Amino acid sequence: MEPIFNRVVIVGAGLLGASLGLALQKQGAAQAVIGVGRRQSSLDTALARGAIQEGSLDLATAANDADLIVIATPASTVRPTLDQIQARCSEKTIVIDVASTKADICAHAARQWTAPRRFIGCHPMAGSEKSGPEHATANLYEGSVCLIEDTPDLDPAALSQVHALWKRVGARVVSVEPELHDALLARTSHVPHIMASVLALSAAQKGATSDVVGNGFRDMTRVAAGSPEMWRDIVLTNREAISEGLNDIKQHLDAFLDALAAGDDVALTALFEGGKKARQKVLS
Amino acid sequence: MEPIFNRVVIVGAGLLGASLGLALQKQGAAQAVIGVGRRQSSLDTALARGAIQEGSLDLATAANDADLIVIATPASTVRPTLDQIQARCSEKTIVIDVASTKADICAHAARQWTAPRRFIGCHPMAGSEKSGPEHATANLYEGSVCLIEDTPDLDPAALSQVHALWKRVGARVVSVEPELHDALLARTSHVPHIMASVLALSAAQKGATSDVVGNGFRDMTRVAAGSPEMWRDIVLTNREAISEGLNDIKQHLDAFLDALAAGDDVALTALFEGGKKARQKVLS
């Protein structure tokens, strides 16, 4: 397979960045993969795993002659990192990120970059409750969906190359408008993540132990094992949609509480039936 | 291995009942397994799968000479089934159930049966979102936990045989007082189940599709695919503990809403950190 990019710089050698480095090399999609980080230890791990061919602590210099820069830092640091990169990279460099929220980041890019824009917001829906380059795998993105911002001012050639990149590492590409992205992800990812934490808190407070826990509880709270700092950053960049989602959840809970208080078997059946059908609809 | 029981009657040929029939025969724990149901079709399926050796629509006659009767009917029908059985079975018959709630059922048995009581409430924590004898397997209980009521008036010999039964089919036995059982299971099973339904409802209402869904959402809503009627019955027999649990969830959600409204990164980190530690504590 032909390389898509010559020199790829990945900023942030965490699970997503290091896995992309491994995948790009496995698929022959890049001639060279350079990792940029703030800590030498993460770069050393990424180097040892073969995720990057070279490590650097100096973003400005590395950005200088890159064909593609991937910002794989925590959601809260994407904006400042993007500003730093913009000041140093060439006009031909394509820049993407991999953060779980898009509206804030893409709106910032739209303000700072001239059209046709060569920064393109991406959200590969891959990962796990594990983090760090030590858990990176070349097949992390295989069979996943990568959501890519759908905005009129993007450079069509850059967009086409970014699509090719994600397809090459095994992802299915779906275009979505950034505000809609965040509204939907609030309901399918951010609010569920908060619920996982809340369910664990509520069970622990009552003194629950592994003796009274089945697979359902394990599955439903699994994401609560993820990095608190990473999730703090994600939810802080999507506050309004998440708050709306949490208030919606409270209303649904009130419907269950009312039905329970009334012992209303018909209403309870309808609520569970509604939940079952809603899941089928979302996953179909 | 020696049989533990001569004649075992399983009332209700659903997933749990039919799987127990298969497991008892595989482990040589029963000389004969008779299934009692209300529909011939379920009995025919259970017979065809080898889960029972004989099927009957007549509980009263079947109960007559049983050594062990397993009530594997929906939670809401355990009490009337128990009353029917009590009127017909011999003084030596041991009776158990497999319902997901225990306080209501065990309190009823304590009122109706003389001590030392030979009805012993059981809750094998096995099963899935699938139901019906067509999904029954001989290893459903292997590696699971069976919660058994811890009440002073139980017949020690019967209790010992019931422990042996669950161990023989691969379960670890844990004794728990019925009221505590329901308080804990509200937090680890019943409230999480309601949350799975609510998360699916909230995502569907916003128009979420499979394009914006990752493994987290799939895992967290999986139990919402279960039988609405079965879950209606479960929650109706544990209304108070579940309502308390749902109100507790709402309070935790308010803590997240407050932190989001204030953009309080320290509070959000602490909340996610608390959820992570709570999960570790429960599962340790």
Side-chain angles (χ1 to χ4, degrees):
Chain A
M1 298 265 266
E2 285 288 300
I4 304 170
F5 296 100
N6 193 355
R7 192 172 168 85
V8 174
V9 171
I10 297 175
V11 189
L15 177 70
L16 293 181
S19 293
L20 187 60
L22 285 169
L24 289 174
Q25 292 177 77
K26 184 182 169 192
Q27 301 298 334
Q31 299 273 21
V33 177
I34 295 94
V36 174
R38 285 187 299 183
R39 285 175 308 175
Q40 190 61 44
S41 60
S42 294
L43 292 175
D44 289 343
T45 305
L47 275 166
R49 290 188 65 88
I52 56 176
Q53 291 154 334
E54 212 177 289
S56 166
L57 296 167
D58 178 10
L59 173 59
T61 306
N64 211 21
D65 54 354
D67 298 293
L68 171 72
I69 301 176
V70 181
I71 306 176
T73 61
S76 63
T77 63
V78 172
R79 278 174 58 161
T81 305
L82 190 55
D83 293 344
Q84 254 190 291
I85 287 168
Q86 195 190 10
R88 301 302 292 258
C89 70
S90 93
E91 276 181 16
K92 299 212 167 161
T93 307
I94 298 173
V95 185
I96 63 174
D97 77 323
V98 298
S100 299
T101 53
K102 292 274 74 73
D104 190 52
I105 290 164
C106 295
H108 179 75
R111 284 189 298 269
Q112 302 294 318
W113 293 52
T114 52
R117 169 150 64 89
R118 291 171 73 79
F119 167 79
I120 296 166
C122 298
H123 173 203
M125 288 197 295
S128 73
E129 68 278 11
K130 292 171 181 162
S131 57
E134 61 273 25
H135 296 110
T137 58
N139 63 1
L140 185 73
Y141 301 103
E142 271 170 32
S144 72
V145 169
C146 183
L147 303 171
I148 296 189
E149 75 162 305
D150 185 10
T151 309
D153 65 343
L154 303 179
D155 180 314
L159 187 59
S160 160
Q161 277 190 284
V162 171
H163 274 246
L165 165 84
W166 289 113
K167 285 178 189 164
R168 186 72 79 84
V169 299
R172 184 164 65 87
V173 167
V174 174
S175 296
V176 59
E177 190 273 318
E179 290 280 346
L180 178 61
H181 171 279
D182 285 11
L184 292 172
L185 268 289
R187 304 295 174 111
T188 60
S189 173
H190 313 154
V191 165
H193 192 97
I194 289 172
M195 286 313 315
S197 297
V198 166
L199 286 172
L201 284 166
S202 177
Q205 276 179 358
K206 201 71 185 182
T209 65
S210 59
D211 283 345
V212 290
V213 161
N215 289 334
F217 184 84
R218 276 176 217 277
D219 284 348
M220 289 196 70
T221 58
R222 185 163 290 123
V223 294
S227 156
E229 292 76 18
M230 189 181 94
W231 278 93
R232 169 201 65 201
D233 282 357
I234 292 172
V235 302
L236 279 173
T237 52
N238 197 20
R239 287 159 61 184
E240 279 180 37
I242 294 171
S243 297
E244 185 197 282
L246 291 178
N247 281 311
D248 191 48
I249 294 286
K250 284 172 65 183
Q251 284 186 20
H252 285 292
L253 292 180
D254 284 336
F256 272 95
L257 279 164
D258 289 346
L260 282 168
D264 187 340
D265 57 342
V266 175
L268 284 167
T269 309
L271 286 166
F272 283 123
E273 189 68 51
K276 182 174 181 163
K277 285 183 179 159
R279 182 173 192 264
Q280 285 165 348
K281 192 179 163 199
V282 170
L283 297 184
S284 68
Chain B
M1 297 264 266
E2 286 288 300
I4 304 170
F5 296 100
N6 193 356
R7 193 172 168 84
V8 174
V9 170
I10 297 175
V11 189
L15 177 70
L16 293 182
S19 293
L20 187 60
L22 284 169
L24 289 175
Q25 292 176 78
K26 184 182 169 193
Q27 300 299 333
Q31 298 273 23
V33 178
I34 294 94
V36 174
R38 282 188 301 183
R39 286 175 307 176
Q40 190 62 43
S41 60
S42 295
L43 292 175
D44 288 344
T45 304
L47 276 166
R49 290 188 65 87
I52 56 176
Q53 291 155 332
E54 210 179 289
S56 166
L57 297 168
D58 178 9
L59 173 58
T61 306
N64 211 19
D65 55 353
D67 298 293
L68 171 73
I69 301 177
V70 181
I71 306 176
T73 62
S76 63
T77 62
V78 171
R79 278 173 56 162
T81 305
L82 191 55
D83 292 344
Q84 254 189 290
I85 287 168
Q86 196 190 7
R88 301 302 292 257
C89 70
S90 93
E91 277 181 16
K92 298 209 167 163
T93 307
I94 296 172
V95 184
I96 64 174
D97 78 323
V98 298
S100 299
T101 52
K102 292 271 77 73
D104 190 53
I105 290 164
C106 294
H108 178 76
R111 283 189 300 269
Q112 301 294 318
W113 293 51
T114 51
R117 171 149 63 90
R118 290 172 73 79
F119 167 80
I120 296 167
C122 297
H123 173 203
M125 288 197 295
S128 73
E129 68 278 11
K130 292 172 180 161
S131 56
E134 60 274 25
H135 297 111
T137 58
N139 62 1
L140 185 74
Y141 300 103
E142 270 171 31
S144 72
V145 169
C146 183
L147 302 171
I148 296 189
E149 75 163 304
D150 185 9
T151 309
D153 64 345
L154 302 179
D155 180 314
L159 186 60
S160 158
Q161 276 190 284
V162 170
H163 275 247
L165 165 84
W166 288 112
K167 286 178 189 164
R168 186 74 77 85
V169 299
R172 184 163 65 86
V173 168
V174 174
S175 296
V176 58
E177 189 274 318
E179 290 281 345
L180 178 61
H181 170 279
D182 284 10
L184 292 172
L185 268 288
R187 303 295 175 111
T188 60
S189 173
H190 312 153
V191 165
H193 192 98
I194 289 173
M195 287 312 315
S197 297
V198 165
L199 287 172
L201 284 165
S202 176
Q205 275 178 358
K206 202 72 185 179
T209 64
S210 59
D211 283 346
V212 290
V213 161
N215 288 334
F217 184 84
R218 273 175 220 275
D219 284 350
M220 289 196 69
T221 58
R222 184 164 290 123
V223 294
S227 157
E229 293 76 18
M230 188 181 94
W231 278 92
R232 170 202 64 203
D233 283 356
I234 292 172
V235 301
L236 279 174
T237 51
N238 196 19
R239 288 158 63 182
E240 279 180 38
I242 293 171
S243 297
E244 185 197 281
L246 291 177
N247 281 312
D248 191 49
I249 293 287
K250 284 172 67 182
Q251 285 187 19
H252 285 294
L253 292 180
D254 284 338
F256 272 94
L257 279 163
D258 289 347
L260 282 168
D264 187 340
D265 57 342
V266 175
L268 284 167
T269 309
L271 285 166
F272 284 123
E273 189 67 52
K276 183 173 181 162
K277 285 185 181 158
R279 183 175 193 264
Q280 284 165 349
K281 192 178 161 199
V282 171
L283 297 185
S284 66

